[in-house]
Every structure is written in structure tokens, then in C-alpha cells.
Amino acid sequence: MAIGSLVAAIPLSSNHALIGQFYSDSLEMQDNADIKPVGVLVRDSSLTQALNAGTLRGRRGYQTSFDPNPTSLGNKRVRSFYDIFYERIHYDPAVMRLGQLLNAQTRELLVWNAYFSQRTLVSVVGTDDYGLSLGIGSVPQVYQPLQQKIYPLSVSVDGPPTINASYLFTWDNQVNTYQVTGERLVVFAFPPDPSKDFIERLKWYGTINPAYSGKEQRMSLSERPKVSYNYRVQVMDNELQRFDAIMWGWQNRAFAVPVWNSYTYTSQAIGQGTTTLFVEDTANREFAVDSVAVIFAGPEMYEAVEIQEVQADRLLLKKPVQSSWTRKVAVLPARTMRMAKDISYTGPVANFREVDMSFTAEAGEELLSIPWTTTYKGLPVMEFSPDMSGGIAGSYTRNADWEDGEYSLPLIYDHSGLGTPKQTWQFAWANYREIQQFKSLLCTLYGTTRPFWISTWAPDLTLAAPIELNSAAMYVEESLQVNMYFNRKGRSNLVIRLRNGTVYYRGILSVTPGSGVVPNSELFVLDEPIPRRILPNEVACISYLTQSRFENEAFEFIWKAQDFATMNAMIKGLTDGI
């Protein structure tokens, strides 16, 4: 630039030169105006290079490339709020997402002409909109500048299970496609027969590859369980008619199935139009945000609602309730499930049937997460004792091959040199929180693929002498522990339970004969001292603590009542030290 040259200088903002310019009062005229800069402060060489390279070319409101040196944007103006908001048609909401449709309802679509000129809506054509009705009225319709109109969208429960409709809005200057999505659900409001078992089944998917040594490679293929229900319903007269109609029209579609074993009650009267549902308690129930709940007074008196927020004594709803409800009406969470393709029934008379229902959740369920309180060496400890009323069953298994030569002695190949204990236990719970806590533990273990500690709950050792204060030595009655447990894998930890409820978990460092100090005894040296003196008559049970895993294909909870359930589990002891 020549010395003494005069330019009109203006500030720079980022890579843009803010151009001094007079604008028209009309925003439309601004947008189409031939904008000319008053001046910019540049170097002559930069401007020449930029013009030669064509870096300042671009469509209105944008710069397509930048010069490394400060240069003018040329004949361009900075993009403003006007460019991204006006001179177009707005639809609110941008996409109508209905979510899970449980009842007939009406939504509103707002259409706004954001042009500063008149526009004409020529036609609206719907596609795949069976069960939907958009109240456009007669067309064509004239929209004045900046005018908005609201159209009702009526949605019926009649129609395909998946809603994926589109509406083609044709204007005098453009064509827009508007989407409506959602999913229709029908509430299966027939409760289980209380005289029969209600079975809840949780299933995880994984692979377990054992080696000759007994070690296992375990891999989980699903983090969340698949939930399924099996129960019996009884229907008669009008209920039978409604049930039969549902089976004909909806058996292959999604249902909202109440979680019949997880209910609470309304704590006060609920008025029509309210969005707050007061209940007695939501703790440990399976209510969740963005899920469905059912207010249930009977197969013909119920209402499904969508949950926006879960609090200790109330559910905040996304939409108002459509009916009024009194106090002490059941409120249940619900799952989206599919019915089995084969449903069997029996009936002694024409107007009565007993039907065996089977439902499976469409996707893995995220169950309640309750922290597990007791751990040992980094793994959870199964504290629930087995229900001995039904007895216990088990087996001793070895990873060995037996080849009988018929005319010679059999050949035995013991690959691991270790036994593998298996036990089938029945668990029984009479507390809903404990049931949910056990389910939460199953989610932590991914079903069968992660290990945990479990006691044998048997008197494996008998204390022969007092354990002194802060002593790690323990004398037990002689029971071939030294001779037979030459490899202590699977028998290297124990649990000492006292009659007052105190529990100690300890590792075993060594086992030797008692050496005459205590006759007919064996000496156990523990990895940590016992912080008190223990007399033999204070001990309730000394049991081995074994790393184990579940070997169930699925976990079936048999519900007898809301707070009482049983479950049988196959537990395999691990000897691989994992």
C-alpha cells in the first residue's frame, strides 16, 4: 500500500470483515439488496491474490474459502438471525413423535408462514396415515405474512401397530414432507388367576468354554435380561367376548402388560385432568421414566398413563388422566411385550375359559439397580440362605475321561485333578426389596457369566478349641482336611457365623495336624486374625466359601403373592481361581 493512501477502515470479527452498509427497513429488501462495501483495510497484494484466486466467490450470506491473510469478504454481508428464521415455512413440532399410544388422543400441529409475503397452501396429502386424521379443512388456504395456524391431529388406537405416516404439504412455492411416528399399544388388562403360580422368567445370553484344567472362558452376550411371563387368566361372559376380540385382532402385536407382582395404591382421590398421581409408595417398584403405568380397578375399569418423573410418593405424568379415581385403586408398572403365537385354553362351559398366557418383552429390560452391600476379595457374597424346606440336591463332578477296555483294567484320565461341586438350591423371599436386590445382583453378574462367593451353608468344620483374641490360628475337629484337600482350590476360604449374627470371612493359608496341642484336631492358619475371643458354643456354623457361578439357562421366579416368591438355582463351584 502506497504511503499516504487513504482508506475507510472498519473492525474485523473473526475471519469476517464487518462491512459498513446502510440497510433498507424491509427485511426482504435487505435479503435481496445489492450490498456494496464502503471500504476495508487490506494489503494491496492480499486483495490482488484473493481476486485472482477467486477465493471470495460464494453464494449469498456465505464465504466458501478463506485467505490466510485478512481480506475483504467482498460483496457479501454477514449471515444473521433473519437468514435462519424467516423466509420459510415452520412446523411445530418438527416431527410428531407420538411415542407409545395407549389411548385415543389429539395432538396439535402449528404451521407458521415465516415469509414477509402471502403464501398459499395448495393441498395436503397423507400417506400410511390409517387411524390418523389431520384437520386441515378445505384447501387451498391463504396464509398472510407471518400468519400461523393450528391443526388438530386425531390419533385412534385402530390401525397398524407401528405408526410411520407422512403428510405432503404443497405450497405455491415449495413442497414439504411432515412425519408422524409412534407405536400403538393395547393394555392386556386380564389379571392372573390367584390360585395359580405367576412365573416371571429372566434370561441372559452368553457363552462358556471350559478347558481340560477346569478353567472357563466366559463371555456375556447381553447386558440386560429378556423378561417373560407365564400365568393363567379366567374370563367369562363379557370378558370372554372382549378377550376373544383381542386375540383375533391383536395377538401378533405389542401389548402393554401390567407387572402384576409390583403394584401400589393411590393414596388419595385423583381428579380428571390432573398430571400428578399420588400413590402410597414407589420404592422398589418397577416404575420408570418414559414408561407406562396402569391405573387398574378391573378388566373393564383401567387407564394407561405415561410416566414423566418418579418420586417417592407420586408419579408425574406426561398427559392428564382421562378419568377420576378414588383412593386405594391399584397402580401397576407395565412392560411392552409380545404374546406367544400359540395360546391354549380350556373351558367346562361355553361362556367360561381358563387361558394359559405367555408374554415376552420386546427388548432387554433395565431392572432396578440396588447396590450389593457385602463383598469379599472384590466379588459379591451371596448372603441369601437356601430354603431347606424343599431339601437340597447336588453332585460331585470331575473333569475326567473313563475308558473301559472290557478285557483290561479301565483307563482314567483326570484332566484337572479337582472336583467340581454343583448344587441345586431353592431360594424363598418374603420381602419385596430382597427380591429386587437379588434381581439386581443377577444383572451385575450378567446371569451365568460372572463369579460370586457363596457359602455351602453346611457345618463343614467343627471348632475344637477357643479362638484366642487377635489370633489367626483355629483348631477344628479332625475330618481328613489335611490328607484329602492336598490341593485347596475351591476350599481355600471360609466363613465363620456366630450365633449373635456376627460373620467373619477369612482365607486359609495352611492346614496341618494339631500336633497334640488339641487332641484329634487339625490346625487352620487364617490370613487375618479374628478380633475377638470365640468359644466353640458361640459358633453357629463354619462353612467353606466358594467362588461359584449360576448354571441356569434362565431364572424363574414363582410368585405366590406380591411379597413372596421362590426360585430354584443351579450353582457350580469354580476351581480355576478366577
Coordinates of all heavy atoms in Angstrom, one line a residue, residues 455 457 461-463 465-469 474 494-506 526 529-543:
S455 N -21.5 -69.4 50.3 CA -21.3 -70.4 51.4 C -22.0 -71.7 51.1 O -23.0 -71.7 50.4 CB -21.7 -69.8 52.7 OG -21.7 -70.9 53.7
W457 N -23.3 -73.3 53.4 CA -24.4 -73.3 54.4 C -24.4 -74.6 55.1 O -25.5 -75.0 55.6 CB -25.7 -72.9 53.8 CG -25.8 -71.5 53.4 CD1 -25.5 -71.0 52.1 CD2 -26.0 -70.3 54.2 NE1 -25.6 -69.6 52.1 CE2 -25.9 -69.2 53.4 CE3 -26.3 -70.1 55.6 CZ2 -26.1 -67.9 53.8 CZ3 -26.5 -68.9 56.0 CH2 -26.4 -67.8 55.2
L461 N -16.8 -77.5 59.1 CA -15.8 -77.6 60.1 C -16.4 -77.5 61.5 O -17.4 -76.7 61.6 CB -14.7 -76.6 59.9 CG -14.0 -76.6 58.6 CD1 -13.1 -75.4 58.4 CD2 -13.2 -77.9 58.4
T462 N -15.9 -78.1 62.5 CA -16.4 -78.0 63.9 C -15.2 -77.5 64.7 O -14.1 -78.1 64.8 CB -16.8 -79.4 64.4 OG1 -17.9 -79.9 63.6 CG2 -17.4 -79.2 65.8
L463 N -15.4 -76.4 65.4 CA -14.4 -75.8 66.2 C -14.1 -76.7 67.4 O -15.0 -77.0 68.2 CB -14.9 -74.4 66.7 CG -13.8 -73.5 67.4 CD1 -12.7 -73.2 66.4 CD2 -14.4 -72.2 67.9
A465 N -11.5 -75.9 69.8 CA -10.9 -75.2 70.9 C -11.2 -73.7 70.7 O -11.5 -73.3 69.5 CB -9.4 -75.4 71.0
P466 N -11.2 -72.9 71.7 CA -11.5 -71.5 71.6 C -10.4 -70.8 70.6 O -9.3 -71.2 70.6 CB -11.4 -70.9 73.0 CG -11.6 -72.1 73.9 CD -11.0 -73.3 73.2
I467 N -10.9 -69.8 69.9 CA -10.0 -69.0 69.1 C -9.7 -67.8 70.0 O -10.6 -67.1 70.4 CB -10.7 -68.5 67.8 CG1 -11.2 -69.7 66.9 CG2 -9.8 -67.6 67.0 CD1 -12.0 -69.3 65.7
E468 N -8.4 -67.6 70.2 CA -8.0 -66.6 71.2 C -8.1 -65.2 70.5 O -8.2 -65.1 69.3 CB -6.6 -66.8 71.6 CG -6.4 -68.2 72.4 CD -7.3 -68.3 73.6 OE1 -7.6 -67.2 74.2 OE2 -7.7 -69.4 74.0
L469 N -8.1 -64.2 71.4 CA -8.2 -62.8 70.9 C -7.1 -62.5 69.9 O -5.9 -62.7 70.2 CB -8.2 -61.8 72.1 CG -8.2 -60.3 71.8 CD1 -9.5 -59.9 71.1 CD2 -7.9 -59.5 73.1
M474 N -6.8 -71.6 64.3 CA -8.1 -72.1 64.6 C -8.0 -73.7 64.6 O -7.6 -74.3 63.6 CB -9.1 -71.7 63.6 CG -10.5 -72.2 63.8 SD -11.7 -71.6 62.6 CE -11.2 -72.5 61.1
L494 N -13.2 -69.5 54.0 CA -14.3 -70.0 54.8 C -15.0 -68.8 55.4 O -14.6 -67.7 55.4 CB -13.8 -71.0 55.9 CG -12.6 -70.5 56.8 CD1 -13.1 -69.6 57.9 CD2 -12.0 -71.7 57.4
V495 N -16.2 -69.1 56.0 CA -17.0 -68.1 56.7 C -17.4 -68.7 58.0 O -17.8 -69.8 58.2 CB -18.3 -67.7 55.9 CG1 -19.1 -69.0 55.5 CG2 -19.1 -66.7 56.6
I496 N -17.1 -67.8 59.1 CA -17.5 -68.2 60.4 C -18.7 -67.4 60.9 O -18.7 -66.2 60.9 CB -16.3 -67.9 61.4 CG1 -15.0 -68.6 60.9 CG2 -16.6 -68.3 62.8 CD1 -13.8 -68.3 61.7
R497 N -19.8 -68.1 61.2 CA -21.0 -67.4 61.6 C -21.3 -67.7 63.1 O -21.3 -68.8 63.5 CB -22.2 -67.9 60.8 CG -22.2 -67.4 59.3 CD -23.5 -67.8 58.6 NE -23.6 -67.2 57.3 CZ -23.1 -67.7 56.2 NH1 -22.4 -68.8 56.3 NH2 -23.2 -67.0 55.1
L498 N -21.4 -66.6 63.8 CA -21.7 -66.8 65.2 C -23.2 -66.7 65.5 O -23.9 -66.2 64.7 CB -20.9 -65.7 66.0 CG -19.4 -65.6 65.8 CD1 -18.8 -64.5 66.7 CD2 -18.8 -66.9 66.0
R499 N -23.6 -67.2 66.7 CA -25.0 -67.2 67.0 C -25.6 -65.8 67.2 O -26.8 -65.6 67.1 CB -25.2 -68.0 68.3 CG -24.8 -69.5 68.1 CD -25.1 -70.3 69.3 NE -24.6 -71.7 69.2 CZ -25.2 -72.7 68.5 NH1 -26.3 -72.4 67.9 NH2 -24.6 -73.8 68.5
N500 N -24.7 -64.8 67.5 CA -25.2 -63.4 67.7 C -25.4 -62.7 66.3 O -25.7 -61.5 66.3 CB -24.3 -62.7 68.6 CG -22.9 -62.5 68.1 OD1 -22.6 -62.9 67.0 ND2 -22.1 -61.9 68.9
G501 N -25.1 -63.4 65.2 CA -25.2 -62.7 63.9 C -23.9 -62.2 63.3 O -23.9 -61.8 62.1
T502 N -22.8 -62.2 64.0 CA -21.6 -61.8 63.5 C -21.0 -62.7 62.5 O -21.1 -64.0 62.7 CB -20.5 -61.6 64.7 OG1 -21.1 -60.7 65.7 CG2 -19.2 -61.0 64.2
V503 N -20.4 -62.2 61.4 CA -19.9 -63.0 60.3 C -18.5 -62.6 60.0 O -18.2 -61.4 59.9 CB -20.8 -62.9 59.1 CG1 -20.2 -63.7 57.9 CG2 -22.2 -63.3 59.3
Y504 N -17.6 -63.6 59.9 CA -16.2 -63.4 59.5 C -15.8 -64.2 58.3 O -16.1 -65.4 58.2 CB -15.2 -63.8 60.7 CG -15.4 -63.0 61.9 CD1 -16.1 -63.6 63.0 CD2 -14.9 -61.7 62.1 CE1 -16.2 -62.9 64.2 CE2 -15.0 -61.0 63.3 CZ -15.7 -61.6 64.3 OH -15.9 -60.9 65.5
Y505 N -15.3 -63.5 57.3 CA -14.8 -64.1 56.1 C -13.3 -64.2 56.1 O -12.6 -63.1 56.3 CB -15.3 -63.4 54.8 CG -16.8 -63.3 54.7 CD1 -17.4 -62.1 55.0 CD2 -17.5 -64.4 54.2 CE1 -18.8 -62.0 54.9 CE2 -18.9 -64.3 54.1 CZ -19.5 -63.1 54.4 OH -20.9 -63.0 54.3
R506 N -12.7 -65.3 55.9 CA -11.2 -65.5 56.0 C -10.7 -66.4 55.0 O -11.4 -67.4 54.5 CB -10.8 -66.0 57.4 CG -11.1 -65.1 58.6 CD -10.2 -63.8 58.5 NE -10.4 -62.9 59.6 CZ -11.3 -62.0 59.7 NH1 -12.1 -61.7 58.7 NH2 -11.3 -61.2 60.8
L526 N -5.2 -68.8 59.4 CA -6.0 -67.9 58.6 C -5.2 -66.7 58.1 O -4.2 -66.4 58.7 CB -7.2 -67.4 59.4 CG -8.1 -68.5 60.0 CD1 -9.3 -67.9 60.8 CD2 -8.6 -69.5 59.0
P529 N -6.2 -62.2 61.5 CA -6.7 -62.6 62.9 C -8.1 -62.3 63.1 O -8.7 -61.4 62.5 CB -5.8 -61.7 63.8 CG -4.6 -61.3 62.9 CD -5.2 -61.2 61.5
I530 N -8.7 -63.0 64.0 CA -10.1 -62.8 64.5 C -10.0 -61.7 65.6 O -9.3 -61.9 66.6 CB -10.7 -64.1 65.0 CG1 -10.7 -65.2 63.9 CG2 -12.2 -63.8 65.4 CD1 -11.5 -64.8 62.7
P531 N -10.8 -60.6 65.5 CA -10.6 -59.6 66.5 C -11.3 -59.8 67.8 O -11.5 -58.8 68.6 CB -11.2 -58.4 65.8 CG -12.2 -58.9 64.9 CD -11.7 -60.3 64.5
R532 N -11.6 -61.0 68.2 CA -12.2 -61.3 69.5 C -12.0 -62.7 69.8 O -11.6 -63.5 69.0 CB -13.7 -61.0 69.4 CG -14.5 -61.7 68.4 CD -16.0 -61.8 68.6 NE -16.2 -62.7 69.8 CZ -17.5 -62.9 70.3 NH1 -18.5 -62.4 69.7 NH2 -17.7 -63.7 71.3
R533 N -12.3 -63.1 71.1 CA -12.2 -64.5 71.5 C -13.5 -65.2 71.2 O -14.5 -64.7 71.6 CB -11.8 -64.6 73.0 CG -11.5 -66.0 73.5 CD -10.9 -65.9 74.9 NE -10.4 -67.2 75.3 CZ -11.1 -68.1 76.0 NH1 -12.4 -67.9 76.4 NH2 -10.6 -69.3 76.4
I534 N -13.4 -66.4 70.6 CA -14.6 -67.1 70.2 C -14.6 -68.5 70.9 O -13.6 -69.3 70.7 CB -14.7 -67.2 68.7 CG1 -14.8 -65.9 68.0 CG2 -15.9 -68.1 68.3 CD1 -14.8 -65.9 66.5
L535 N -15.6 -68.8 71.6 CA -15.8 -70.1 72.2 C -16.5 -71.0 71.3 O -17.3 -70.6 70.4 CB -16.5 -70.0 73.5 CG -15.9 -69.1 74.6 CD1 -16.8 -69.1 75.8 CD2 -14.5 -69.7 75.0
P536 N -16.3 -72.3 71.3 CA -17.0 -73.3 70.4 C -18.5 -73.2 70.5 O -19.2 -73.3 69.4 CB -16.5 -74.6 70.9 CG -15.1 -74.4 71.5 CD -15.2 -73.0 72.1
N537 N -19.1 -72.9 71.7 CA -20.5 -72.9 71.8 C -21.1 -71.6 71.2 O -22.3 -71.4 71.2 CB -21.0 -73.1 73.2 CG -20.4 -72.1 74.2 OD1 -19.8 -71.1 73.8 ND2 -20.7 -72.2 75.4
E538 N -20.3 -70.6 70.9 CA -20.7 -69.4 70.3 C -20.9 -69.5 68.7 O -21.5 -68.6 68.1 CB -19.8 -68.2 70.6 CG -19.7 -67.8 72.0 CD -18.7 -66.7 72.2 OE1 -17.5 -66.9 72.3 OE2 -19.2 -65.5 72.3
V539 N -20.3 -70.6 68.2 CA -20.3 -70.7 66.7 C -21.6 -71.4 66.2 O -22.0 -72.5 66.7 CB -19.1 -71.5 66.3 CG1 -19.1 -71.8 64.8 CG2 -17.8 -70.8 66.7
A540 N -22.2 -70.7 65.3 CA -23.4 -71.4 64.7 C -23.0 -72.3 63.6 O -23.6 -73.4 63.4 CB -24.3 -70.3 64.2
C541 N -22.0 -71.9 62.8 CA -21.6 -72.7 61.6 C -20.3 -72.2 61.0 O -20.1 -71.0 61.0 CB -22.7 -72.7 60.6 SG -22.5 -73.8 59.2
I542 N -19.4 -73.1 60.7 CA -18.2 -72.8 59.9 C -18.3 -73.5 58.6 O -18.4 -74.7 58.5 CB -16.9 -73.2 60.6 CG1 -16.9 -72.5 62.0 CG2 -15.7 -72.8 59.8 CD1 -15.6 -72.9 62.8
S543 N -18.4 -72.7 57.5 CA -18.7 -73.3 56.2 C -17.6 -72.8 55.2 O -17.0 -71.7 55.4 CB -20.0 -72.9 55.7 OG -21.1 -73.2 56.6

